[in-house]
Amino acid sequence: MNKIHTYLIRISGTVQGVGFRPFIYRLAQQYDLKGEVCNDSAGVAIVVNATEEKIERFRDSITRDLPPLAQIDSLEICVCEEREFDRFSIVESEEVATASALIPPDISICKACERELFDPQNRRYLHPFITCTDCGVRYSIIEKLPYDRHNTSMRKFKMCQACKKEYHDPTNRRYHAQPIGCHACGPKLNISIDEALKRLQSGEILAIKGVGGYHLVCDATDEEALRRLRDRKRRPAKPFAVMVRDIASARELAQIDAKEEALLCSKERPIVLVRSKGRLPALVAPRISKIGLFLAYTPLHILLLEKLQKPIVATSANLSDEPIATTRESLEKLHGVYDAILDHDRPIVNGCDDSVAMVVRGEMVMIRRARGYAPVSIKLPKPLPQKVLALGANQKSTVAIGFDKEVILSPHIGDLESLESLSYFEKNIQTLRRVYDFSPDLVVCDKHPNYESTKYAKATFSTIKQIQHHYAHILAVMAERGVSGKVIGVAFDGTGYGDDGNLWGGEFLVADDEGFERVAHFGYFKLLGGAKAIKEPRRVALSLLFDLYGEEALGLSHPTVESFSQTQLKTLYLAWQKGLNAPLSSSCGRIFDAVASLTDVIQVMSFEGESGMLMEELYDPTIMEYYPFLVEEGVIDILPMIDAIVQEGDSRVAVSKFFNTLVEIVVQITRPYDLPLVLSGGVFQNRVLLELLLERFPDALIPNEIPPNDGGIALGQVAGVLSKI
Ligand code: ZN
Ligand code: ZN
Ligand code: FE
């Protein structure tokens, strides 16, 4: 029992560039162990002399007291050849850059750094870039692996003697912390915090350089400033995210439950959608009772908010549909939107938006996966046969690379609708390829011929595979949740290209790794005006009215009909009759739009998802009824429901019964299948619908780590490599 052996401990996971070796060094001191620790291609290797009893306790401490950013995938211990040591040391290994050495994402400031930030005795007192191995920027500054200072945008800052000493001292919290610096040697602001503060207090709009890009910022309590920001950004209604100093200030603005609090305070610090207390001007999120809150996550933001003592609106600096601005040059395009810039000289290598999440019935639902989460890997249940690059969809684009059991998902890229976003898309692909030294054997994309990602795949690569959009939605959840058998998947979505060339989006798929069968779907309706119908709910509603009443619909005194001019109505009726520029769709998202128009909630949207958000506001849980619908040979006919909605006087009742009808449809269609239920697709960003379904199906599998929307498609496409279709 007391005999001393030489043990070899091998650890894999996120264990490089996260202060793991100094952590082991300190633990070894604590346990009075002699030996060494080094990085190797699989992770970290430790050799120590110890008794069996001590090695057990040492192992327990490793797994229990892990540094904040480290994550262990496997830990193996064995007795090895006896070796003599006179002390414990960190062996400087050739840092091996392998695909499995993962880059940690950008992480919010840690407690220790925050304490030092406000400690007048500390040499980094009020330093806006204070950081250590447990916190700060990573992904946004890295050019390639290995994660060393000379491979990051910190390269241009020459460390002073004091910083150098910390950097090389294994007992120091800043040992090998690549982004460290101080007042003397670190990045510098262009204007003082005090000046930025004065400008915010006088109602100005500031562009502030954050971690993965610039934000547009103003005082969230200043109605005039909010109006100016909305006018200048031409963003009339889409809710703004609000940044607060700490959780106490968050609680002043919203009702926050324990899960939401944990998410807000997590090291990732995403924007969390919570129930607003209505204390801020309505202009922050017009007509919406939810508010997107996040806590200050860098020392710079903390310094600003500590003095301002007010919440700020912090919205990504971009033109709509374009990627977040990461350079002064790209920010220039927003000239006239901001009054001043709070800038610094540490370049952003990889742009990264803020992440957005919510909690529904205790489960985390990611809406936008970016800062804090990207590019962390997702483990597949089975290894991939090839190295795969997946190009995702067209909206809320993300790309992914897959090898072995690992999938690395890029952060949110955005909608591929402008040249800028396309080049940002290509940049993200290059980043993954460069950082992970990756080259694909196979490229996977969507089946939609007009998706930019599909065109790019066809133009750039010779070996491609195309995966149906909604199958990819279901596969994404199966991959994330580690399911490989048969499931009944419900894909309620916007529109995606179907195998019959129509625009699917209300699909019931019996699916597994190898393929799928479309067992039911909403009956097709016409999207009058094609893409225009996606922005104008009234066009979908009118089309359904034509389906129901034919030409008589033209004479209805109904808000949907009355929102058009007589000429428009005649043209649209003709288009409906002849099927001109009127693609067929089974999209559930479009049915939401139609109902929003028929209940006069909204006729023309100013941002994507607006109709669903507004309908959430009307839902009344005391209304239990649902509308009639028909199912024939797997085709769900919603016209009886549409007819009943037209007759319904009260929009609150109509909307509530509509939600209940969707739940009832899912119940009836999935009941005959004794299979796990998977819910995926953009419509499941709707909190009310998701809540109702999770209440009815507590075991339903939903995506947690990846978004239910098209941001998850790339993961599903990687998983689709295993399929036979
Ligand atoms: Zn720190
Ligand atoms: Zn320094
Ligand atoms: Fe989709």
Side-chain angles (χ1 to χ4, degrees), residues 331-632:
L331 188 63
E332 275 302 307
K333 288 214 223 155
L334 290 156
H335 184 78
V337 177
Y338 52 85
D339 300 300
I341 306 174
L342 174 55
D343 208 350
H344 61 74
D345 54 354
R346 185 185 64 211
I348 296 169
V349 179
N350 305 307
C352 197
D353 257 294
D354 293 312
S355 294
V356 183
M358 63 178 176
V359 177
V360 178
R361 284 185 79 85
E363 289 202 63
M364 173 168 92
V365 178
M366 188 73 78
I367 305 286
R368 184 163 77 196
R369 190 178 193 274
R371 176 183 52 78
Y373 299 94
V376 158
S377 78
I378 289 164
K379 295 267 181 291
L380 294 175
K382 288 187 204 174
L384 294 161
Q386 285 162 299
K387 291 203 276 180
V388 183
L389 167 67
L391 298 179
N394 212 57
Q395 308 288 119
K396 302 184 171 60
S397 159
T398 56
V399 294
I401 56 171
F403 46 88
D404 306 325
K405 283 182 162 186
E406 213 90 63
V407 183
I408 317 256
L409 203 58
S410 79
H412 169 84
I413 295 168
D415 299 347
L416 305 184
E417 268 158 21
S418 63
L419 281 176
E420 282 72 15
S421 45
L422 256 178
S423 76
Y424 190 58
F425 165 80
E426 288 183 41
K427 195 168 176 231
N428 269 276
I429 297 170
Q430 282 154 13
T431 300
L432 288 177
R433 293 182 66 150
R434 184 185 64 242
V435 167
Y436 291 94
D437 193 16
F438 178 90
S439 101
D441 305 316
L442 178 65
V443 172
V444 199
C445 64
D446 200 272
K447 284 194 173 177
H448 202 305
N450 298 331
Y451 275 6
E452 293 301 333
S453 47
T454 310
K455 291 187 208 163
Y456 178 82
K458 287 182 176 167
T460 319
F461 300 97
S462 51
T463 330
I464 65 165
K465 177 170 178 136
Q466 291 175 280
I467 302 278
Q468 200 279 322
H469 187 89
H470 301 99
Y471 180 41
H473 267 307
I474 301 301
L475 281 172
V477 184
M478 293 167 66
E480 190 209 315
R481 306 297 297 258
V483 180
S484 53
K486 266 197 176 0
V487 302
I488 172 87
V490 179
F492 281 177
D493 203 19
T495 50
Y497 194 80
D499 283 341
D500 58 2
N502 294 323
L503 296 171
W504 294 8
E507 314 304 312
F508 293 79
L509 312 177
V510 169
D512 61 15
D513 287 357
E514 300 197 337
F516 73 92
E517 185 195 348
R518 187 191 195 202
V519 294
H521 63 89
F522 288 112
Y524 287 129
F525 48 88
K526 289 173 184 151
L527 297 180
L528 300 178
K532 264 194 191 156
I534 293 173
K535 298 210 163 111
E536 298 185 20
R538 59 183 185 164
R539 285 172 181 265
V540 189
L542 186 68
S543 168
L544 288 165
L545 291 176
F546 288 147
D547 288 343
L548 266 173
Y549 314 120
E551 202 171 354
E552 272 174 39
L554 295 173
L556 286 178
S557 81
H558 186 280
T560 297
V561 181
E562 284 160 0
S563 75
F564 293 101
S565 71
Q566 280 304 319
T567 351
Q568 279 176 317
L569 283 173
K570 283 193 189 108
T571 320
L572 288 170
Y573 180 67
L574 215 67
W576 173 81
Q577 259 188 324
K578 306 221 157 116
L580 294 169
N581 192 17
L584 293 178
S585 179
S586 55
S587 158
C588 185
R590 298 293 82 81
I591 296 174
F592 261 85
D593 289 350
V595 174
S597 161
L598 292 171
T599 51
D600 207 18
V601 169
I602 192 160
Q603 300 298 348
V604 176
M605 298 198 286
S606 75
F607 65 93
E608 197 218 330
E610 190 174 12
S611 62
M613 274 190 206
L614 293 173
M615 282 158 78
E616 281 186 31
E617 299 294 325
L618 289 175
Y619 182 73
D620 178 349
T622 65
I623 296 169
M624 309 303 283
E625 297 91 354
Y626 57 89
Y627 289 122
F629 57 91
L630 298 167
V631 185
E632 213 171 312

Side-chain angles (χ1 to χ4, degrees), residues 23 27 30-31 57-67 72:
F23 158 67
L27 267 188
Q30 200 181 311
Y31 281 92
R57 287 200 291 137
F58 184 58
R59 193 244 315 261
D60 290 348
S61 289
I62 294 176
T63 51
R64 197 184 48 232
D65 306 330
L66 220 51
I72 293 181

Side-chain angles (χ1 to χ4, degrees), residues 123 160 163 181-182 185:
R123 68 185 192 90
C160 69
C163 285
C182 66
C185 69

Side-chain angles (χ1 to χ4, degrees), residues 9 110 176 190 194 211 270 319 358 375 386 427 529 567 593 639 653 679 693 720 722:
I9 308 178
C110 73
H176 280 197
N190 65 328
D194 283 331
V211 167
L319 294 169
M358 63 178 176
Q386 285 162 299
K427 195 168 176 231
T567 351
D593 289 350
L639 289 179
V653 176
L679 306 176
L693 282 169
L722 300 166

Side-chain angles (χ1 to χ4, degrees), residues 6-9 11 19-39 44-50 54-55 58 62 83-92 169-171 175:
T6 301
Y7 289 94
L8 169 66
I9 308 178
I11 302 172
F20 201 81
R21 288 176 302 162
F23 158 67
I24 295 296
Y25 178 89
R26 286 192 297 272
L27 267 188
Q29 305 288 349
Q30 200 181 311
Y31 281 92
D32 197 21
L33 294 175
K34 296 186 172 99
E36 61 183 38
V37 57
C38 66
N39 283 341
V44 161
I46 307 164
V47 184
V48 280
N49 289 328
K54 225 180 207 179
I55 199 80
F58 184 58
I62 294 176
R83 279 175 67 185
E84 287 280 318
F85 296 99
D86 56 359
R87 61 196 178 101
F88 194 91
S89 52
I90 296 180
V91 180
E92 286 301 332
D169 174 3
T171 63
Y175 175 69

